Amino acid sequence: MLNLLDQDIMYLPGVGPKKKEILNKELNIQTWGDLLEYYPYKYVDRTKIYRIIELSGEMPFVQVKGKILSFEEFAMGARSKRVVAHFSDGFGVVDLVWFRGAKYVYNNYKIGEEYIVFGKPTVFQGRYQFAHPEIDRVADLKLDEMGMQPYYSTTETMKKRGMMSRSVERLTKTLATKIPAGSIQETLLPSMVSRLNLMSREDAYRKIHYPQTLDDVQRAQVRLKFEELFYVQLNILRYASEHRRKYKGYIFGKIGPIFNNFFAEKLPFDLTQAQKRVIHEIRDDMRSGHQMNRLLQGDVGSGKTLVALMSMLIAIDNGFQTCIMAPTEILAEQHLDTIRAFLQDLPVRVELLTGIVKGKKRKKILENLVEGKIDILVGTHAIIEDTVQFKQLGMAVVDEQHRFGVAQRAKLWGKSERPPHILVMTATPIPRTLAMTIYGDLDVSVIDELPPGRKPVMTIHKFDNQTVSLYNGIRQQVHEGRQVYIVFPLIEESEKSDLKNLEDGYKKLCEVFPEFRLSKVHGRMKPKEKEAEMQKFVSGETQILVATTVIEVGVNVPNASVMVILDAQRFGLSQLHQLRGRVGRGADQSYCLLVTSYELGAETRKRIDIMCQTNDGFRIAEADLKLRGPGDLEGTQQSGIAFDLKIADIARDSQIVQLARNEAQKIIDDDPRCEKAQYSIFWNRLKELRNTHINWSAIS
């Protein structure tokens, strides 16, 4: 039997084939249930009726009750006219104004009839008016049942077809009459609903669309948000529990001579307490008998690569091979140089495999890999090609993992008899609520302190009319032996944009600094050209590197002490933080200069102020999440994670995310195999949800 809510939207009275097509295409509403889950984005209190003498131009939407006294018309050109109705409640007069639709106005609104008028009052030539107000006959309304009026988002196409918020509201009202009381099934255990003081599912659906009070709205939202987030978390934890049972990990039981020698003789500096803690966490995973799946978070320069290397040495001491996969050739080569410098003369063979390694050299690397002669393979996505086979891969490190898709990461599993231990690294701090949702099946480690001796980067905001002082500051730093990054947002000028362009900017900077040597790097250069220019800067041959955001990841020049970001208002917070992380890698005081136009919007000012106030990547990531939402954050889209949550907001509902996580964890702890009859309501609901709007496969 077809579930009532699974019925085709076309068969809801008032829809039909034409409206069905619009609802399908514009809002992806195909069933009655889809309409029920198309929630209002705001509400307006319709319980209070104002007198006209109480109106002011600063008021939000209000309603007044009265009668139309007369109509008047004013020409607005050859073919259009403005219609004005003079409306009175007996205490004052207000004008109702229409700039189009005169025929509709005269056909529907009559002099002497009593109406409720709803709109935003404004002042024009000393008189109050409502432009294109909503009007209802008093005879048609039950004033004691008006409550809070819901407002629904509609598209431009819908508006052109006459389908406004009010049209959607009428459809949801019709839908409510077609759903008998008691026909919406509960999806949570009664004990949970009671213990958490949640509204029932049916009440929540009715109140979210037809609330009488603000309290109704808030309680309905909490219930529906909790349910949505609970099932996201339950699915993640169920998957993680199943994964741990199903996949046994290689047991690395010993700490051997290579690790001990490295730790005793080769460490260039003492580990921070955070690094020591993370290494212990990884060590515990590797000897547990379960496959490690761990996310390592840490700001740029916090020492993640060293932690990854020491973890790989544990695998090597136990007779296994390892690999580290980076998103770009530049970053892969940097890892190769860093690892070789750390290891010095230890008996560990490290090789590089990227797209530019070809011919005999590539063939030899692949042969040595199969024979077990290579201990650490550093590379790009070339590592996951089918032709690349290991003798015994025991551990894989994925750096800047948000640059890789889920399917790409999964290919690493096929490189060994058992899935290798996986360490996922990111220098993009991920807010806790987002991490537990996107990477909910990964154990999380955080390096939350920088190595000793590092000075925080000083961030300064400058306007683009302060170039003289900016250039003087750059000149002073270079004369003191430092190097400078100057970042442009675009490569070449766009007709629709006022952004500075890199090509013209480079020429101008060459004129401004004739005494210095400059390099230029952007994404459209050939890899060899880019590498040659980068190497000039790394070696100190050039003092200023003019670039686009290609230097966001993968450049380590301790001597660079100044990062200048032009048109900084065009960058997101996380991107600004990543760029700033390119400096401050040496012992000298470093600076990040954010250059913007003078005219800035409120949100942009917030971003710039946050950058100037803190170097804490997690604070910045939390702020970024609140300003932009999870769908816009770098890392979520590239990973294939498309959160199309209907009502919950991971940024603003962090407490509900945590509550949902805790409740889901209790269920998994009590029923790790998902087979107890008392929880069948949850497991059945999860099966239903697999065919819905949440991209379950992308999560984690």
Side-chain angles (χ1 to χ4, degrees), residues 371 660 678:
E371 292 170 10
Q678 69 199 74

Side-chain angles (χ1 to χ4, degrees), residues 134-305:
E134 289 182 20
I135 301 179
D136 294 286
R137 291 172 64 236
V138 170
D140 296 337
L141 293 174
K142 296 179 181 177
L143 296 182
D144 58 335
E145 294 179 9
M146 285 180 69
M148 309 286 290
Q149 181 174 351
Y151 275 72
Y152 299 86
S153 294
T154 55
T155 66
E156 285 304 313
T157 300
M158 291 176 72
K159 286 169 186 167
K160 285 175 185 173
R161 304 280 186 91
M163 288 186 72
M164 311 290 191
S165 168
R166 205 67 182 273
S167 307
V168 179
E169 184 189 349
R170 289 191 193 101
L171 292 178
T172 56
K173 276 188 175 162
T174 302
L175 179 60
T177 65
K178 295 291 179 184
I179 302 174
S183 61
I184 296 179
Q185 294 180 337
E186 185 54 79
T187 55
L188 301 176
L189 287 173
S191 57
M192 182 186 282
V193 173
S194 173
R195 179 166 49 81
L196 300 178
N197 193 27
L198 296 173
M199 195 178 261
S200 75
R201 188 171 185 236
E202 178 156 334
D203 284 350
Y205 274 132
R206 295 190 188 278
K207 297 290 188 187
I208 200 80
H209 292 289
Y210 317 110
Q212 288 297 302
T213 64
L214 187 58
D215 186 59
D216 285 346
V217 172
Q218 291 170 340
R219 290 203 64 208
Q221 286 177 338
V222 167
R223 158 62 210 236
L224 294 169
K225 286 177 179 182
F226 173 83
E227 180 184 329
E228 192 167 47
L229 292 167
F230 171 76
Y231 277 103
V232 169
Q233 296 297 337
L234 187 66
N235 191 69
I236 291 167
L237 294 171
R238 178 202 62 79
Y239 168 80
S241 174
E242 182 184 322
H243 178 94
R244 288 190 184 98
R245 284 198 321 277
K246 189 174 176 182
Y247 297 105
K248 300 302 178 187
Y250 292 118
I251 297 174
F252 298 158
K254 67 176 183 180
I255 295 288
I258 295 175
F259 182 96
N260 287 328
N261 192 346
F262 177 79
F263 187 76
E265 306 291 337
K266 309 297 183 186
L267 263 184
F269 42 75
D270 290 336
L271 296 175
T272 63
Q273 288 303 313
Q275 285 174 309
K276 289 177 183 176
R277 183 185 69 244
V278 171
I279 290 170
H280 280 300
E281 289 168 351
I282 292 169
R283 167 88 175 110
D284 288 342
D285 283 351
M286 286 177 157
R287 61 184 173 190
S288 68
H290 298 293
Q291 187 219 5
M292 175 175 76
N293 272 297
R294 187 166 286 276
L295 172 68
L296 175 56
Q297 294 192 73
D299 258 338
V300 170
S302 61
K304 296 186 300 299
T305 305

